[in-house]
Structure formats: C-alpha cells, structure tokens
Amino acid sequence: MADATPPPGQIELKALPNMTAGTAASSEASEPPERPRSFGLRDRSEMAEFGKKQQLRRHFGFLSMVGFTCILTSTWESMFSTFLYGFSNGGPAGLVYGYLFCWAGTLATVASIAEMASMVPLSGGQYFWVYYMAPRSCRKFLSYLTGWTNVLGWQAGTTSLAFLAGTQIQGLLVLNFPGYTFARWHGTLLLYAVILVSLGINTVLAPHLPKVEGLIFILHIVGFFCILIPLVYLSPHSPASSVFTTFLNEGDWPSPALSWLIGLITSVYSFLGTDSACHMAEEIRGASTIVPRSMLAAIVINGVLGFAMLLAVLFSLGDLDRIMTSTTGYPFIELFYQATASVRAATAMTALVIALGIFASAACFTTASRMTWAFARDRGLPYSAKLASIDPRTQLPLYSLLASTVFSLLLALINIASAAAFSAILSIVVAGLFSSYLISISLLLHRRLRPSVERTQLRWGPWRMGRWSGAAVNGGALVYVVVAMTFSFFPMVRDSGTAGANWSPVVFGAVLLWGGAYYLLVGRRRYDGPVVEIAGAVGVGVHVE
C-alpha cells in the first residue's frame, strides 16, 4: 500500500508485514477479506489487524452470549419495574403500541450496531468505531466523547439495576410486614448488597461465567412461565377494548400523542443494554460472527417474552387504584397479591423477579467493567495504566472491577441525601448509551451513502446488510434513538414543580461539560485514539507503543 498520507476524512490502513499485496488491498474493499475459518485463528487475526493483543480469556460461545444479553436486558422483568411510567402516560393501549415501536426501533439499532461489531470486534465498541469512521479533523474528540458517555452510561446502569433490586426487596418487606417504613438508607444498604453479590459473581465465579449465564438464562425462561401462568389463570380478565383502545394522559400533557411519547421510557428501558455483547467481544469465540447473531437473537427472544408478559399484565389488572397506589412502591407486587390472594405466593413471584434483577445487575457490572477496561487501555480515563491492567492469574481486569464497585457504592450515597438527585443521575443511562449509538450510526450511514467511500474506507465484517437496505435500517435506528433520547428528558407530570422535575438534561449536560473540560485540560494530551499494541498492524492512524 502507498505510504502517502491519506486526505482528510480517510482512514490510514497499514498491512501486516506478513500480508500479501492482494490481501492488503482486499482490506479496503467493500467486501470482507478472506478470513481464517477457525474461530481461534480468526479472532487472533482480527485482534492483530486492529493492533490489539489478546489479554482476556475467550470462553463465551453463541448460546452463553445469547443468555448473557437476554439476562442483562431482562425485558419482561424490567417491564414490572417501570410499568407506572408508561401506564400513566399512554395507558394500556399506549404501552402496547409503544412496546411495538420500541421493539422495532431496537431491532434497527441492534442491526446497525451489529454491522460495526462485525467490522471491529473489540471490547471498546462505539468509541473505537467512531474513531475508525469519523473525519480525521474531529475523530479524536468524537471518539473520546463517545467513550466517556458510554463508560458513564454503563456504570450508572449497574447502579440503576442494583437500586431497583434493593427497593423491590423493601417492597417485599412492606408486603410481609405492614408496619415496615421505607427508609432511603435501607435501600442504599440493600443496593450495596446487590453490588457486592455482582462483584462476587464477576470474580469468584468468573472462570465459570458462561455456564452460570446459561443456568440463569434457563431461570429467565422458566421464571417467565412461573409468573405468566398464575397471572393469566388466577386474575380477573379485562375486555380487549380496554387494553387496545384505552389511552391515558395522567401527566396532563397538551396532547395524548405527547403523553404517549413520554411514556415510551417504559419500553425503552426494557430493551436497554442490548449492545452488551459488543463490550464482551474479546471474550467470545468467533466474535465477528457471534456478537451480531447473539444480539439479534436476544432481542427476538426477549421481545416475544416481553410482549407476552405485557399483554398478560394489562389483561389481568384488577383493582387499579390499589395497584397504582401500592404502599410497596411497585404496582406489580400488589398485582401479584391480587392475582393469588396469598402473601406467600406473591412473595415467591416477587422474589423470582428480584433474583433475576440481581443477576441482570451482575451482567451489567461485567459489561461496565469491560467498557472501563477497554477505554482505559486506550488512555481515555484517569489512572488508565491501573484500570487497563489484567491480572495474569485470573485474566480479569481486577482494577476495573474494583473501580466499578467503588463508583456504584459512592453514587448510591446520593440516594440517602436526595432521591430526586439520585434518580436524575441514574437517568444518564439512556442518554449515555443512546448518544453513543447516535454518533456511531450517523457516521456509518454517512459513509454508506457515499459509494466511493464505502468501497475504499469501510472494512465490512462477515455480518452485514446491503447498501440500501442497510441505509434504511440505519435511518430507522437514528429516528428511534433521537425520539427515545429526547423524550427521556421529560418529567412524568407536566406541572410537577421542582420536586417532580426531571433533572436528567441538567445532569447529562454536566456530564458532557465535565468530559469536554477534562478532554481540553488533560485528555487531548493523553488520548490519541486507540493504541496500537502490535507494531506493523493494520492500525487506524494511531501511535504504536
């Protein structure tokens, strides 16, 4: 390949020393180059191609990664946790049609992410793809901003799931001990317990994590039927008209359409985290093929289970006033109690949901630590050298696991002082993850719509869509991401006052300002894009260590 510096907007690709001229040329073609058929050889080849050394243990396969992604996303379980938001703004019909909209939008988003994960199957995910595709003039800053928001989004996601599990345990205490009074510090201590359990799963059980995820995936499926059957069989049934034609606007918004858009957050949250497989790529055998397939399979499986559970809940609503004003803090606990007329049965059903929520928190903890490790490996975080280190005995990023633990424990302290402030900070989960989708998919679509650029500057992986079908899917994904991200910033009630305001725009703005300031003061001197660890590899215009 010529040594001339590429013009602005192009990516510099250098062939490995042992690559033939024909192979080097094919790396720039629109069709994927010939790759080794063996997963092991292919993984090593792809790691070397982008200048990375294999440091983590590859022990996940297709089924274990499908289970991992399904558990983390926990669509039907998350429906119970966020049911109130969508029911208040949208009602039964709004939840049904909002769910279908979000399912379709998530499929388009995941398909777009899958293409990029197949191109560059590395744990860094979005920030690496952004650097690979962005114009040279701004790729370093865009890549850094993407990595920054993605790391914070995953870290906040872990705390969010632990918080839900902890407060649901408090709800069970209310159900079983009516004299119990909610206290925020109780919830914080329970959150701590969930985080420590997650840490234990990710260290003590780490060598057996694929098998553990497989067992939990079975519980995810069996648990679905253990909840669905009692609800359908024992609950009073609502008429179909009340489910498919009843819209509510309890937030007093100017129009039902606006109320419905605000209520989408229930379904958006239920599908959140489907790109987790991307950040586990360096622990998956045959990552460039398995990551895309596992993500799409997980969305199909969880989408079906979630929709079935949503319909079961909506058809099984009994005393709606008691459900929506339940002293447990969660309507689904009261729903279980009304369906079974038994505290013990309702407790068992709720405990199952809580257990799966704890396992989802552990999976999110795994992903957050890997994302932190990957960004630190490329010098994107403070104390990067420590955070990027791998324990040689366990082959785990122990310092990143510890940092994720400390971050969640410190973040949870805010809940003791102010529940509103804590909720606002947790709201950056949607904004943080979706902003990384927005930037990376926009760049992919921009390059895809320029045929000469697509042929010479996109290195397609083994999983890809066609040019025009892919462009349509990318466009649909961007519409969904913008809609979901925009309306996640709205409060539940129009005139909510200071106490009920949604402070997430302020918090997310502060995160962006903080990240931008850190980049200008420190990051731009330390972060120079993805670090090429193997001299002579097919890098992306970055320095070689």
Side-chain angles (χ1 to χ4, degrees):
M1 187 178 296
D3 292 329
T5 302
Q10 291 189 2
I11 302 300
E12 181 182 4
L13 298 177
K14 301 174 182 176
L16 286 164
N18 60 349
M19 291 174 65
T20 64
T23 306
S26 70
S27 68
E28 291 188 344
S30 60
E31 295 299 324
E34 186 69 26
R35 303 178 184 211
R37 294 185 179 182
S38 164
F39 277 168
L41 291 175
R42 181 199 294 181
D43 292 330
R44 287 193 292 273
S45 172
E46 288 168 343
M47 289 285 290
E49 192 173 351
F50 286 94
K52 296 299 182 185
K53 298 176 183 177
Q54 181 67 50
Q55 300 183 63
L56 304 176
R57 179 186 175 196
R58 290 188 185 268
H59 55 164
F60 280 92
F62 174 73
L63 290 178
S64 56
M65 190 44 56
V66 169
F68 180 91
T69 308
C70 282
I71 293 158
L72 191 154
T73 311
S74 58
T75 301
W76 69 261
E77 299 93 332
S78 297
M79 274 287 172
F80 290 122
S81 302
T82 58
F83 178 81
L84 183 61
Y85 297 94
F87 193 85
S88 299
N89 286 295
L95 278 169
V96 171
Y97 304 123
Y99 184 94
L100 294 175
F101 171 77
C102 291
W103 191 7
T106 303
L107 277 170
T109 304
V110 168
S112 301
I113 292 173
E115 281 194 310
M116 293 181 282
S118 188
M119 288 181 194
V120 187
L122 297 175
S123 296
Q126 287 90 323
Y127 81 84
F128 203 109
W129 308 335
V130 167
Y131 191 89
Y132 180 61
M133 295 185 294
R136 294 176 66 88
S137 59
C138 60
R139 69 182 183 182
K140 193 167 83 167
F141 175 71
L142 285 179
S143 171
Y144 183 86
L145 188 65
T146 303
W148 182 264
T149 57
N150 211 358
V151 167
L152 290 179
W154 278 108
Q155 295 291 351
T158 302
T159 312
S160 174
L161 288 170
F163 173 74
L164 289 174
T167 51
Q168 285 167 10
I169 293 172
Q170 286 185 285
L172 267 189
L173 292 173
V174 172
L175 178 67
N176 286 272
F177 306 100
Y180 172 76
T181 303
F182 259 94
R184 287 200 298 269
W185 68 272
H186 292 178
T188 300
L189 289 178
L190 289 168
L191 184 157
Y192 280 8
V194 174
I195 292 297
L196 293 177
V197 168
S198 299
L199 178 62
I201 291 174
N202 278 278
T203 51
V204 177
L205 297 180
H208 313 289
L209 203 53
K211 294 179 181 178
V212 171
E213 297 296 342
L215 292 174
I216 301 172
F217 180 52
I218 294 172
L219 181 62
H220 173 73
I221 302 296
V222 173
F224 165 79
F225 290 102
C226 290
I227 302 295
L228 183 78
I229 293 172
L231 279 181
V232 173
Y233 185 73
L234 298 175
S235 298
H237 293 169
S238 303
S241 59
S242 69
V243 173
F244 296 109
T245 62
T246 302
F247 291 88
L248 297 177
N249 183 5
E250 298 297 319
D252 195 29
W253 295 99
S255 70
L258 178 57
S259 177
W260 177 74
L261 287 167
I262 294 168
L264 287 176
I265 191 63
T266 290
S267 297
V268 169
Y269 191 83
S270 297
F271 283 112
L272 207 59
T274 48
D275 62 313
S276 57
C278 300
H279 306 298
M280 299 294 293
E282 293 176 41
E283 296 170 71
I284 300 172
R285 295 187 296 270
S288 59
T289 300
I290 299 303
V291 169
R293 291 177 181 174
S294 63
M295 287 194 298
L296 289 166
I299 287 303
V300 172
I301 293 170
N302 268 11
V304 171
L305 297 182
F307 191 59
M309 186 62 74
L310 176 63
L311 291 179
V313 169
L314 294 176
F315 274 103
S316 302
L317 294 176
D319 188 337
L320 191 56
D321 289 336
R322 284 178 55 197
I323 289 174
M324 302 306 289
T325 59
S326 173
T327 55
T328 64
Y330 288 94
F332 77 90
I333 299 178
E334 178 65 27
L335 174 66
F336 291 169
Y337 176 66
Q338 287 189 22
T340 61
S342 167
V343 171
R344 290 184 178 180
T347 298
M349 293 169 70
T350 304
L352 178 57
V353 174
I354 293 172
L356 288 166
I358 292 172
F359 293 134
S361 178
C364 192
F365 187 96
T366 309
T367 307
S369 67
R370 300 314 192 263
M371 181 62 210
T372 300
W373 166 76
F375 199 42
R377 177 176 59 175
D378 290 323
R379 299 176 180 173
L381 295 172
Y383 307 105
S384 287
K386 279 289 184 186
L387 293 174
S389 63
I390 296 293
D391 179 68
R393 184 178 62 86
T394 62
Q395 290 184 282
L396 292 173
L398 292 181
Y399 282 103
S400 288
L401 287 165
L402 180 61
S404 298
T405 303
V406 173
F407 182 90
S408 292
L409 297 183
L410 292 177
L411 189 61
L413 291 174
I414 300 173
N415 183 52
I416 299 176
S418 171
F422 184 65
S423 297
I425 291 173
L426 294 186
S427 65
I428 67 171
V429 179
V430 174
L433 298 184
F434 273 51
S435 61
S436 72
Y437 305 160
L438 180 64
I439 296 172
S440 56
I441 296 174
S442 296
L443 290 169
L444 176 64
L445 180 60
H446 173 68
R447 285 183 174 271
R448 170 173 253 136
L449 292 178
R450 299 167 64 193
S452 60
V453 172
E454 182 195 17
R455 284 195 304 271
T456 60
Q457 297 175 30
L458 282 183
R459 166 207 177 278
W460 292 110
W463 196 96
R464 65 167 293 191
M465 297 178 282
R467 176 180 297 167
W468 298 113
S469 60
V473 171
N474 297 158
L478 289 176
V479 170
Y480 170 67
V481 167
V482 170
V483 169
M485 189 172 170
T486 300
F487 290 99
S488 72
F489 292 142
F490 281 67
M492 281 184 63
V493 180
R494 180 184 181 186
D495 298 319
S496 55
T498 305
N502 187 343
W503 295 100
S504 55
V506 177
V507 173
F508 186 61
V511 166
L512 293 180
L513 288 174
W514 181 23
Y518 182 83
Y519 176 80
L520 291 174
L521 296 174
V522 180
R524 65 192 177 96
R525 292 192 296 271
R526 294 182 179 176
Y527 182 74
D528 199 23
V531 174
V532 174
E533 301 165 340
I534 303 175
V538 183
V540 284
V542 293
H543 60 282
V544 179
E545 287 193 330

